[in-house]
Amino acid sequence: MATRRNTTLLNPSDLPEKAKPHVTEGASLYSSPVFHGYSMWLLPSAGSDTEFLSSIIEHTADDLNTDAFLPHLSVLAGINDRDEAWLLKRMEMLEQRLKHNFDDIFVPELRLNGLGARDLFFQCIYAHPVLTPSITGINKVACEVFERPGNGCGYDAAWMPHLSLVYGDLDVASKAGA
């Protein structure tokens, strides 16, 4: 999906209280419905792609009695070791760096290639993206700007690229039926 550039920086202090990160001691990043820290998402542009992905997420959420959410591809996750001012400054830096890598009209194409499921709340059922140079490049630049360790390939060591379709704690039979 090609998207038009429309960058908006969201100030975390503007989020409603229930959307702000909550830290629970000893919990892992994706294991519970309480997320720990901040994530950076790549969102599809408004239009038929977003509507199509949203309808899949919403219908599956209705069928499985789970919550719906915005379709997105996580670029970085679990940023929980920096304050808000640092994060906002880094978002501005990332925006500037990405402007040099992509023209003013189109940003990366997202193609999906198969489905997956894990026993993790935020990776319950998901679609695998094709790891194009633009998708991996965005992650690499974000790792540099946000001072995240890479895995030797330039990616965030904890990054497992996916486009979530279902959030939840579901058994294997429920996932297979989705």
Side-chain angles (χ1 to χ4, degrees), residues 64 117-119 124-125 169-178:
L64 297 173
R118 297 177 79 183
D119 290 330
C124 184
I125 300 174
D169 292 316
L170 303 176
D171 58 36
V172 173
S174 296
K175 291 177 189 178

Side-chain angles (χ1 to χ4, degrees), residues 11-156:
N11 187 333
S13 63
D14 293 337
L15 293 171
E17 195 59 38
K18 69 179 185 175
K20 291 182 181 178
H22 302 279
V23 177
T24 304
E25 283 301 314
S28 70
L29 180 62
Y30 295 108
S31 65
S32 77
V34 178
F35 187 79
H36 311 284
Y38 294 93
S39 287
M40 185 182 323
W41 293 351
L42 186 61
L43 301 174
S45 62
S48 60
D49 292 330
T50 300
E51 291 168 13
F52 175 72
L53 291 169
S54 292
S55 71
I56 291 172
I57 292 168
E58 290 167 8
H59 286 102
T60 308
D62 286 344
D63 291 347
L64 297 173
N65 197 30
T66 60
D67 292 326
F69 48 87
L70 290 172
H72 64 276
L73 176 77
S74 295
V75 174
L76 285 180
I79 303 170
N80 58 8
D81 56 348
R82 303 295 184 143
D83 66 26
E84 211 172 277
W86 187 89
L87 291 170
L88 290 172
K89 179 67 178 162
R90 294 298 165 139
M91 283 298 298
E92 292 171 6
M93 291 170 63
L94 179 64
E95 181 180 16
Q96 291 304 311
R97 290 271 310 269
L98 291 177
K99 281 182 179 179
H100 293 292
N101 292 321
F102 300 104
D103 65 35
D104 290 334
I105 299 174
F106 293 99
V107 293
E109 181 180 5
L110 176 62
R111 294 176 307 211
L112 302 176
N113 183 26
L115 298 175
R118 297 177 79 183
D119 290 330
L120 299 171
F121 187 88
F122 291 106
Q123 295 176 359
C124 184
I125 300 174
Y126 53 87
H128 293 282
V130 174
L131 289 182
T132 61
S134 57
I135 298 294
T136 56
I138 289 172
N139 178 260
K140 182 179 182 205
V141 171
C143 286
E144 292 168 4
V145 170
F146 283 87
E147 300 174 0
R148 309 302 290 177
N151 67 0
C153 298
Y155 317 142
D156 177 8

